[in-house]
Amino acid sequence: MSDKHHRFPEGYGNQHGVLTVSGRTVIEWIAEHGSPLFLYDTNLMRKQVTKTRAALPATVKLHYAMKANPHPAIVAFMAGETDGLDIASGGELAIALAAGVSPGKISFAGPGKTDVELRDAIVAGIKLNLESELEALRVAAMAASLGTAARVAVRVNPAFEIKGASMRMGGSAQPFGIDEERVPALLATLGEVPFVFEGFHVYAGSQSLNADQIIESQEKTLEMLVRLSAAAPCPPAVFNIGGGFGVPYFPGDMPLDIVKVGSALAEQIAQLPESLRHTEIVVELGRYLVAESGVYICNVLDKKTSYGETFLITDGGLHHQLAASGQFGQVLRRNYPIMIATNLSGKPTHKVTVTGCLCTPLDRLAYNMPLPDANPGDLVAVFLAGAYGASASPKDFLNHPYATEIII
Ligand SMILES: *Cc1c(COP(=O)(O)O)cnc(C)c1O
């Protein structure tokens, strides 16, 4: 694996050895906004949405899961580019509503919703994805006390195993969703409570690069939903079949063949029974839509040798970009795509470890990675920082300044 290198990412430029983002060098971006810096390029997001829509059947609706990047400006942008927004907390609801997203386009999944979250969601008129039988009872009681009906979908935890996903959220004992075998009993009670039943939600895994395994999951998911629909109080308006489309983070990772996934989905949809022809099929994606549009830039402050190893010490770190340190859902630590942004044309001459400025051995952005020569004043770029970067990092740990986030 060590002989494999990360590819130069699409959509970025190289101007005399210096990385450009949206046509400007990172030196200019840092001069204007300071270091460390997240740059998110909405043109790249739009391209990714366009590519995704082109691959998926035209009737499939595309949702953005804002957990991947909840920056208010990105939420507003992505709400405009996609057909709906998936949220997972009251805080995300507040951001979405403040960004002007129409409540009709928002659905709220996630375990452990508080009474305040349930109330705010029902009052706002967004859809609640029910994660347990008890949650269904709580939603019913809340809707009754508000004298209104709650829009709900039932999140199903499938009985079949989900393959290929590096983060599993279904197909086994889970805090998410209601076990497939228990769903018919719940559906039988839905007609009697103040609910508007809108359909089903299945989200069983994340970060899969394997088209065949995604196709298999989609097929089994649709089969299951056809079966469960027979027990529904009315024909389901929506099947949200999840997503889990991954991005290639590590050397040797191959991008997902989304065209293959899309054409298989078209065939699967064509085989739905007549009674479900008008059911809206939703695919919800987070990282796949935004990860590649973001880059994290930090500045080399120090360079040292310790017992034969070279360290580049930056003003960034895991407090901004935890995932690059390997501590966000990775089993084996592998290097994220990292480059010396001010020496792109240099040959990777020797292995270096790039650290942040936190006083903890956990704070490594790259470990023993072949990189070109770099010195204090050079800039380091961490790619794929558009998803699970700033918002998924412990920014108060050690009380260094927050990174600036710029939306281009
Ligand atoms: C986390 C999550 C997503 C987004 O996952 P990605 O891997 O970023 O695509 C979508 N839906 C639900 C329910 C989630 O929990």
Side-chain angles (χ1 to χ4, degrees):
M1 186 165 68
S2 57
D3 55 337
K4 288 178 182 154
H5 296 297
H6 291 101
R7 272 175 294 258
F8 188 75
E10 260 176 60
Y12 295 82
N14 174 348
Q15 195 179 103
H16 310 297
V18 179
L19 180 72
T20 63
V21 183
S22 190
R24 288 177 81 197
T25 67
V26 287
I27 297 173
E28 292 171 272
W29 283 116
I30 290 284
E32 187 174 341
H33 299 286
S35 172
L37 187 62
F38 283 92
L39 292 167
Y40 309 122
D41 187 342
T42 54
N43 278 314
L44 298 184
M45 289 176 207
R46 179 174 286 132
K47 273 193 190 159
Q48 190 68 4
V49 169
T50 304
K51 175 175 139 184
T52 307
R53 284 196 191 276
L56 296 177
T59 53
V60 167
K61 303 289 183 204
L62 181 63
H63 283 197
Y64 173 55
M66 71 175 273
K67 177 179 70 180
N69 191 327
H71 190 289
I74 288 179
V75 171
F77 178 80
M78 291 302 288
E81 294 292 312
T82 56
D83 305 306
L85 195 67
D86 295 318
I87 65 166
S89 74
E92 290 192 346
L93 176 60
I95 292 173
L97 293 177
V101 182
S102 144
K105 293 176 75 174
I106 304 175
S107 45
F108 185 174
K113 300 183 189 81
T114 65
D115 287 344
V116 172
E117 287 176 320
L118 296 182
R119 186 196 62 209
D120 290 352
I122 295 168
V123 168
I126 69 165
K127 176 160 59 194
L128 283 160
N129 294 353
L130 302 176
E131 302 275 353
S132 76
E133 286 109 334
L134 196 51
E135 189 173 89
L137 292 177
R138 290 173 60 218
V139 172
M142 184 64 75
S145 78
L146 292 166
T148 182
R151 298 174 52 212
V152 300
V154 174
R155 180 169 180 181
V156 185
N157 178 13
F160 54 85
E161 192 196 347
I162 300 292
K163 295 179 196 149
S166 73
M167 283 201 211
R168 258 198 223 170
M169 298 172 75
S172 53
Q174 291 288 345
F176 313 107
I178 297 160
D179 293 354
E180 178 183 339
E181 63 189 30
R182 303 168 68 107
V183 170
L186 175 70
L187 291 171
T189 68
L190 286 192
E192 298 147 30
V193 287
F195 283 154
V196 179
F197 171 73
E198 298 199 357
F200 295 106
H201 177 221
V202 182
Y203 193 85
S206 244
Q207 181 51 20
S208 173
L209 293 172
N210 187 319
D212 293 325
Q213 287 174 342
I214 290 176
I215 290 166
E216 190 188 321
S217 294
Q218 283 177 345
E219 185 172 13
K220 288 184 175 166
T221 298
L222 285 170
E223 279 169 14
M224 173 184 78
L225 294 182
V226 169
R227 260 183 280 121
L228 292 176
S229 294
C234 59
V238 178
F239 286 168
N240 179 335
I241 60 169
F245 300 1
V247 293
Y249 288 104
F250 305 116
D253 277 357
M254 294 300 288
L256 172 67
D257 185 350
I258 190 176
V259 172
K260 191 173 181 186
V261 171
S263 50
L265 184 56
E267 284 171 32
Q268 292 159 359
I269 291 173
Q271 282 163 24
L272 287 175
E274 189 62 42
S275 57
L276 296 170
R277 279 290 147 76
H278 299 294
T279 304
E280 188 176 285
I281 309 289
V282 172
V283 168
E284 65 175 336
L285 299 174
R287 75 184 77 217
Y288 190 78
L289 299 180
V290 294
E292 288 165 320
S293 73
V295 61
Y296 172 68
I297 311 288
C298 55
N299 185 21
V300 178
L301 295 175
D302 196 2
K303 179 180 187 174
K304 63 185 278 189
T305 304
S306 171
Y307 296 111
E309 283 187 36
T310 303
F311 290 84
L312 291 176
I313 296 161
T314 70
D315 60 356
L318 70 75
H319 54 314
H320 303 149
Q321 187 53 33
L322 180 68
S325 77
Q327 288 154 115
F328 190 71
Q330 292 179 38
V331 182
L332 276 181
R333 191 199 178 286
R334 289 184 289 174
N335 284 326
Y336 254 50
I338 286 185
M339 292 179 191
I340 304 299
T342 41
N343 188 11
L344 292 179
S345 308
K347 291 264 170 298
T349 41
H350 49 296
K351 289 186 174 175
V352 296
T353 292
V354 181
T355 77
C357 55
L358 304 192
C359 197
T360 160
L362 302 175
D363 192 15
R364 291 187 305 205
L365 296 174
Y367 175 65
N368 244 343
M369 186 170 179
L371 284 173
D373 190 40
N375 291 293
D378 274 312
L379 299 174
V380 170
V382 181
F383 294 97
L384 296 173
Y388 306 108
S391 74
S393 302
K395 63 180 186 297
D396 289 320
F397 184 34
L398 276 150
N399 291 96
H400 289 283
Y402 297 170
T404 306
E405 295 176 272
I406 300 291
I407 288 89
I408 308 164

